[in-house]
Amino acid sequence: MATATSVVRSPKAPLSGKFTFADKKTTLPVHIPQFPPQRRRFTPLSASLHDSENNNGCNKNAQAVELEKLFDDAPYDDVSKDSPLHPRPLSSTQFSNSVSNGNRLRVAYQGVRGAYSEAAAEKAYPNCEAVPCDQFDSAFQAVEKWLVDRAVLPIENSLGGSIHRNYDLLLRHSLHIVGEVKLAVRHCLLANHGVKVEDLKRVLSHPQALSQCENTLTKLGLGREAVDDTALAAKYVAFRKLNDTGAIASSSAATIYGLNILAQDIQDDCDNITRFLMLAREPIIPGIERPFKVSPSIQQQKAIYKYSFLIRGGSWCSF
Ligand SMILES: O=C(O)C(=O)Cc1ccccc1
């Protein structure tokens, strides 16, 4: 049974007195100006439907669910606030008070801990400090404002093709592409302990993940709800202790948020690869030791982007 996909927005985390950067080993408290706490009522999932903005073709009959208050009144904020295991993602409003952490390369990614983008950051820059950001735009801004050194950005996957929205971000910002990394994405069906597949009515995940598991989800007859990243889906299911809702996310998200893995490798294509771009403020200085890929100037990138759109209908253009 095919079911419509909805888009759930990420929570707008209110500013709090303390902000903690993502680092598995170190916790750096960053002080944020105090604002009165915003307590808003939780909005049920079925509330305020509107058209989906961009879900990469995953939800053909899509109706988007406006759920800005998804985590209000949930343990999300309480747990995220100061825990090194659950750092609150960086948002652009928090930049002015951020600090750097020693000598490790700091790499921004969109999502919460356990997202595939975090794995991509760590693959691209082993031993880096991966810094979660609530939006892609925040990750770009974090690099531009020198709060982090690099960002990683998913740009294409083997099944769904180009992620057009992220090409737009490349155009709007002036970061340089300094490399790329490919990640084999292996999706798991996650649920709270004690919950069986038969108990599930729907799953939450990133639109790409939902689309990559289309066949499996159709076979299981599960409804789909889109959220900003796969790990956020896992976090939501865990923190809300839902027993009729699963998440599609990585096995590391299962570990981080204490979920049970009901099924592994549920993606339709066993060769499920996502390509991530590595972004920096400065272009690569070509070395003589080994061959390098050319990082085009912003103008060249724009031209290539437009060209790729015209000639290839928006598909990936290898730089
Ligand atoms: O949601 C995530 O975890 C991401 O990093 C984005 C994503 C989603 C699905 C496949 C690859 C990347």
Side-chain angles (χ1 to χ4, degrees):
M1 176 181 67
T3 38
T5 305
S6 323
V7 171
V8 179
R9 294 259 174 91
S10 68
K12 298 275 185 292
L15 290 177
S16 69
K18 260 184 175 178
F19 174 75
T20 309
F21 271 136
D23 183 353
K24 280 161 248 168
K25 292 152 199 135
T26 328
T27 303
L28 290 179
V30 177
H31 295 283
I32 303 283
Q34 286 279 2
F35 285 91
Q38 294 173 306
R39 300 308 293 174
R40 291 177 299 195
R41 277 169 55 85
F42 173 68
T43 308
L45 269 180
S46 55
S48 41
L49 296 170
H50 63 76
D51 285 339
S52 171
E53 179 191 353
N54 175 17
N55 47 30
N56 301 296
C58 154
N59 55 341
K60 293 161 194 108
N61 310 315
Q63 287 177 307
V65 176
E66 172 77 63
L67 268 181
E68 294 195 5
K69 303 176 191 78
L70 191 66
F71 286 99
D72 283 4
D73 302 331
Y76 174 81
D77 285 340
D78 301 335
V79 177
S80 299
K81 207 154 39 191
D82 288 316
S83 160
L85 283 179
H86 303 284
R88 185 181 301 191
L90 194 59
S91 80
S92 47
T93 53
Q94 292 163 316
F95 286 167
S96 57
N97 293 306
S98 303
V99 295
S100 183
N101 176 27
N103 294 327
R104 285 166 72 201
L105 201 73
R106 291 162 55 78
V107 183
Y109 67 94
Q110 189 273 328
V112 299
R113 283 213 49 221
Y116 293 109
S117 297
E118 182 189 42
E122 285 165 353
K123 184 171 182 189
Y125 299 102
N127 197 36
C128 72
E129 181 191 352
V131 179
C133 294
D134 61 351
Q135 299 295 329
F136 285 118
D137 210 62
S138 311
F140 274 76
Q141 283 188 51
V143 182
E144 286 165 347
K145 295 182 177 179
W146 292 74
L147 297 163
V148 297
D149 308 295
R150 303 278 189 278
V152 292
L153 177 77
I155 200 72
E156 181 200 34
N157 65 62
S158 48
L159 195 65
S162 301
I163 303 169
H164 297 151
R165 194 177 179 183
N166 291 351
Y167 277 94
D168 292 341
L169 279 172
L170 288 172
L171 289 175
R172 280 198 277 114
H173 292 268
S174 50
L175 297 184
H176 295 265
I177 299 165
V178 295
E180 66 177 32
V181 65
K182 289 178 192 165
L183 191 76
V185 171
R186 302 177 63 183
H187 294 302
C188 301
L189 178 59
L190 311 180
N192 280 303
H193 289 275
V195 174
K196 298 190 283 296
V197 179
E198 310 84 80
D199 301 329
L200 297 179
K201 292 192 174 60
R202 61 169 191 167
V203 288
L204 308 181
S205 199
H206 185 278
Q208 296 276 334
L210 293 172
S211 113
Q212 289 163 8
C213 302
E214 175 75 33
N215 293 344
T216 311
L217 296 177
T218 301
K219 267 186 220 143
L220 293 173
L222 292 172
R224 293 141 223 199
E225 306 269 357
V227 294
D228 280 349
D229 68 87
T230 55
L232 184 67
K235 187 171 184 171
Y236 183 74
V237 168
F239 285 16
R240 283 268 167 197
K241 298 186 171 64
L242 301 177
N243 54 21
D244 64 349
T245 305
I248 296 176
S250 63
S251 54
S252 56
T255 309
I256 292 166
Y257 302 110
L259 292 176
N260 186 27
I261 300 179
L262 289 174
Q264 252 169 334
D265 280 326
I266 61 165
Q267 65 279 356
D268 300 335
D269 181 357
C270 54
D271 249 353
N272 190 27
I273 308 288
T274 297
R275 190 199 305 253
F276 292 79
L277 296 179
M278 295 146 72
L279 305 170
R281 285 179 293 275
E282 304 297 335
I284 295 181
I285 309 299
I288 49 169
E289 312 84 41
R290 63 187 175 98
F292 58 91
K293 280 196 171 185
V294 175
S295 175
S297 72
I298 295 301
Q299 286 311 316
Q300 286 170 322
Q301 287 175 26
K302 286 180 183 171
I304 289 168
Y305 171 65
K306 284 178 189 155
Y307 179 80
S308 85
F309 234 86
L310 287 172
I311 303 300
R312 303 182 180 205
S315 66
W316 170 259
C317 177
S318 187
F319 292 157

